[in-house]
């Protein structure tokens, strides 16, 4: 018999998608229908790789919130 994650002491902090449009749509629908602190992100590995590549370029400045970051940081 399978148990749910909370029943075995696992707290799920978020969900991720590899680009499957049906899964992404389900995550967005869930996020809008619930008032929760969960975040839904698509393809986290690819997003992280793109961020790293841009940060390694010395002439690129990226806005993060109210701040600007660059390779010099």
């Amino acid at each position: 018999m399978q148990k749910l994650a909370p029943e075995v002491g696992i707290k799920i902090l978020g969900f991720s998608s590899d680009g499957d449009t049906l899964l992404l749509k389900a995550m967005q629908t869930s996020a809008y229908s619930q008032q929760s602190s969960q975040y839904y992100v698509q393809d986290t590995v690819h997003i992280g790789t793109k961020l790293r590549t841009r940060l390694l370029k010395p002439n690129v400045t990226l806005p993060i919130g109210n701040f600007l970051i660059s390779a010099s940081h």
Side-chain angles (χ1 to χ4, degrees), residues 2-72:
Q2 293 182 353
K3 294 184 179 183
L4 298 175
E7 294 174 347
V8 292
I10 298 172
K11 181 178 180 181
I12 298 174
L13 300 177
F15 298 91
S16 180
S17 168
D18 63 354
D20 183 344
T21 55
L22 291 177
L23 182 55
L24 183 59
K25 178 74 172 173
M27 292 187 313
Q28 289 173 337
T29 301
S30 176
Y32 293 128
S33 67
Q34 300 174 7
Q35 296 296 326
S36 71
S37 61
Q38 292 181 347
Y39 296 96
Y40 299 88
V41 179
Q42 182 179 13
D43 196 7
T44 53
V45 173
H46 187 239
I47 292 170
T49 300
K50 287 172 67 173
L51 179 61
R52 182 194 64 182
T53 301
R54 289 191 177 116
L55 282 176
L56 291 176
K57 294 181 180 180
N59 59 343
V60 172
T61 303
L62 296 173
I64 303 290
N66 294 327
F67 302 97
L68 296 174
I69 62 170
S70 68
S72 63

